[in-house]
Each structure stands twice: as structure tokens, then as C-alpha cells.
Amino acid sequence: MNTTKTITIGRNTANPLTVKRLGYGTMRLTGEQVWGEPANRAEALELLQATTAVGVDFLDTADYYGEDVANRLIAEALYPYQDNLVICTKVGASRGADKSWNIYDRPENLRTSIERNLKTLKMKQIQLVHFRVMPGTDTPFEESMAAMFELQREGKILHVGLSNVTPDELNKALGMGKIASVENAFGYEQRTSFTVHGQEVRGLQEVMEACITNGIPMIPFFSLQSSLPNKENKISVIAEKYGATPAQINLAWLLHYNDLILPIPGTSKLSHFRENVKAAEIQLSKEDMEFLG
Ligand SMILES: NC(=O)c1ccc[n+]([C@@H]2O[C@H](COP(=O)([O-])OP(=O)(O)OC[C@H]3O[C@@H](n4cnc5c(N)ncnc54)[C@H](OP(=O)(O)O)[C@@H]3O)[C@@H](O)[C@H]2O)c1
């Protein structure tokens, strides 16, 4: 089966961004519990430098990774940025000094987060920002989204996306403005629901289908965790057939599932990063995809 090699974020806008279909998620660069400095700082910087060196041009981050640790590492490793590099961040959450994950989605919070991302990443505008919906929030969704579009009009954000959304929220947002992308959990063994901060999020497949129907790029997270380490499943069978690793076949499956998918596998290890990137070269057959289901 042929898969497209690139994906365009913000199609039908004045500033579309075309990137390769395998990006990198920076969350694993931080210390334990997504907090503090990496265990091996030199490796983290080397890994980030390897991303652009091998042609990866899409990085996912957030100011609440660390806090600010992932963003600082990105700037240290890669600034001044290559012209084609797209850095995508998220707002809607913050961290407490006790490493807790907090709701941070009031319009003034979103503005503070954007300013913080701009400063740490040393950018004048962020090309893509996902509004991450936090479970249990009492801020009306429309209020947060209106603030996102306001920040876009001001030029601080180029494209607005959504993260951790339900099908209903995606529909509401589409009625308010252009949604460039969606970042939700999705993976080979994770297509219905997942649990985050103690709450179950459902409708993963429905959101994926809504993205496909609306031609919106879908950026799945937790796409590897659902089938690692080396669980005996159909992925292992195909991995053996191609002399590939389960992680690579997981990613290849996503790339073949639909051309609108842009995986962002996360890793703290340079060796895993190099392994994951090679997944983009694997061609699965129609029969392989049918077997995997
Ligand atoms: N929008 C959101 O709410 C949200 C939530 C979570 C994450 N994200 C983003 O999505 C990205 C991906 O999610 P994720 O990092 O949590 O999960 P993931 O990509 O599903 O998996 C990462 C885990 O897989 C391991 N791994 C990676 N490559 C491997 C390989 N080749 N072989 C064996 N193990 C491997 C990593 O360990 P090692 O470090 O040992 O390689 C890590 O434990 C994050 O980095 C972050 O940027 C977004």
C-alpha cells in the first residue's frame, strides 16, 4: 500500500504547513513524572539535534513538560531553528510544585501560557497550538476556544488545534473557526478509550473518523505505549515478517491507517528515536493491514 510522505496542516488557509508524516514528541525528554531535568541531559540534546539532522520537521511540546524543561531543551539544541521546522505546543494545563497536573484554561491562563511558550522557545509566533481540554474543567469550552482564536488574530498563534477532545467538542469548535489539527490518544490497541488523570476519555475512534471526514490531520499520542513492551500480538507477527521491531510496525500501521495521521512517538533514548524514524520506510501490504485489523 502506498502512503503519502507528507501532511499539510492548515489546508485551505493562507499559511499551510507541510511536514513529513513522522514527527517527534518531546514529553519523554523530561525527568520522571514529566518533571525536571532529563536523567541524561547530553543525550536529550543530542536526540533533539538528531531530529532535524535526519529530516524530522515536526516537534510536539508543551510548557508544562518539565515545567518548561522540554521547551528549554528544544531552544538550546535547535535555536536558531531551520526554516522548515514546525514546533507545536499545547495550552490548557499547568503544573503545581508538587508535580500535579492542573486545569489552566481560562482565557487569561491561555494567554499566559502562550507568552511563556513564545519566550522559552524564542519565537514571535507559534505555528500550531493545541488547546488541551482538561477533564473536570468548569470553564465553558466556547470561552477557551474564543480566547484561542483571539490569540490567533493577534498573530501569536498561526494555527489553532485541539487536544483530548470529544466528538461533540470538535463539532462545536468547527462551528467557531478553522481547526488545523487534533491531538488525541490513538494507537493499534487503543482505539476506544484511555484513562488520563484518573478519568476515562471515550470516543477515540469517533474523533479519528470525524478528523478523516473533515480532512483534519490527526496527531495521535500514546500510540506506542498501548502495545509495548513487545506484547505478543499481531504486531509481533508482522514485525517478524519484516525484520522490524514492534515499535516500528505500530508506527507503520498508523501511517497506513490513514494519510491524515501524523504520529509523534515519544522517547528519551536516541537509539529508540533512530529506530522509530525508520518506520516511515516500511511498506505494509493490503494483506498485512487486513491481518492487523
Ligand atoms: N496532547 C496530550 O494530551 C498528550 C498526552 C501525552 C503525550 N503527548 C505527546 O505525545 C508524545 C507521544 O506520547 P508518549 O511519549 O507519552 O507515548 P508513546 O509515544 O506512546 O510511547 C513512549 C514510550 O514508549 C517507549 N518507546 C519509544 N520508542 C520505543 C522503542 N523503539 N522501543 C521500545 N520502547 C520505546 C518510551 O520509552 P523510552 O524513553 O525508554 O524510549 C516511552 O516509554 C509525547 O511525547 C508528547 O509529546 C500529548
Side-chain angles (χ1 to χ4, degrees):
M1 280 173 81
N2 286 326
T3 56
T4 57
K5 297 291 173 204
T6 59
I7 189 164
T8 300
I9 293 160
R11 275 187 323 148
N12 307 324
T13 69
N15 302 291
L17 302 169
T18 297
V19 294
K20 299 213 180 76
R21 279 189 66 215
L22 198 66
Y24 170 66
T26 63
M27 188 176 88
R28 304 278 161 188
L29 288 179
T30 61
E32 273 180 35
Q33 296 180 53
V34 196
W35 188 264
E37 291 295 327
N40 185 340
R41 200 165 192 281
E43 183 175 14
L45 291 170
E46 203 184 335
L47 195 166
L48 282 166
Q49 278 154 359
T51 59
T52 52
V54 302
V56 167
D57 53 10
F58 185 87
L59 302 182
D60 177 75
T61 187
D63 64 341
Y64 47 79
Y65 293 165
E67 285 188 308
D68 281 335
V69 171
N71 282 355
R72 270 193 272 113
L73 289 167
I74 290 173
E76 188 173 336
L78 299 173
Y79 185 84
Y81 304 118
Q82 289 183 3
D83 287 347
N84 64 337
L85 179 65
V86 173
I87 299 178
C88 151
T89 193
K90 294 175 282 299
V91 294
S94 70
R95 305 294 295 278
D98 59 352
K99 308 184 190 175
S100 54
W101 293 81
N102 302 316
I103 296 167
Y104 201 63
D105 60 5
R106 304 284 316 148
E108 59 276 19
N109 302 150
L110 300 178
R111 182 172 292 278
T112 303
S113 285
I114 291 294
E115 296 292 356
R116 187 171 170 150
N117 276 284
L118 285 168
K119 185 168 177 228
T120 316
L121 289 168
K122 303 186 181 179
M123 298 176 104
K124 291 198 168 70
Q125 180 184 59
I126 299 175
Q127 296 117 309
L128 176 62
V129 182
H130 290 119
F131 168 56
R132 182 198 199 284
V133 180
M134 287 288 280
T137 181
D138 56 13
T139 306
F141 177 74
E142 291 85 344
E143 216 176 294
S144 300
M145 285 314 294
M148 293 295 290
F149 288 122
E150 176 60 28
L151 288 158
Q152 184 181 38
R153 278 191 295 277
E154 289 175 19
K156 293 179 193 293
I157 299 176
L158 184 59
H159 293 292
V160 172
L162 286 166
S163 179
N164 288 292
V165 275
T166 61
D168 274 0
E169 286 161 346
L170 176 57
N171 273 334
K172 263 189 215 164
L174 284 169
M176 294 179 73
K178 285 208 161 95
I179 297 300
S181 51
V182 167
E183 186 172 310
N184 263 29
F186 194 78
Y188 180 67
E189 287 199 351
Q190 183 169 252
R191 302 187 216 176
T192 49
S193 68
F194 83 113
T195 301
V196 61
H197 308 310
Q199 299 216 16
E200 193 186 24
V201 178
R202 291 170 180 272
L204 303 189
Q205 185 78 48
E206 287 83 347
V207 172
M208 172 62 80
E209 278 159 20
C211 287
I212 293 169
T213 306
N214 289 287
I216 300 173
M218 161 69 183
I219 304 169
F221 65 82
F222 290 167
S223 56
L224 286 178
Q225 290 188 46
S226 52
S227 64
L228 295 173
N230 295 4
K231 268 174 36 184
E232 279 306 313
N233 58 16
K234 289 183 174 179
I235 291 278
S236 337
V237 177
I238 299 295
E240 205 175 320
K241 173 176 167 186
Y242 286 93
T245 65
Q248 288 172 329
I249 299 300
N250 262 276
L251 295 168
W253 175 82
L254 276 171
L255 291 167
H256 286 73
Y257 185 89
N258 194 282
D259 283 341
L260 282 167
I261 296 181
L262 166 54
I264 47 163
T267 178
S268 57
K269 299 196 177 70
L270 186 55
S271 58
H272 282 167
F273 168 73
R274 293 199 187 284
E275 175 186 325
N276 296 346
V277 158
K278 291 205 183 107
E281 293 160 20
I282 297 172
Q283 285 279 317
L284 298 178
S285 66
K286 194 164 166 278
E287 293 70 35
D288 295 331
M289 285 302 282
E290 279 165 7
F291 170 77
L292 289 168

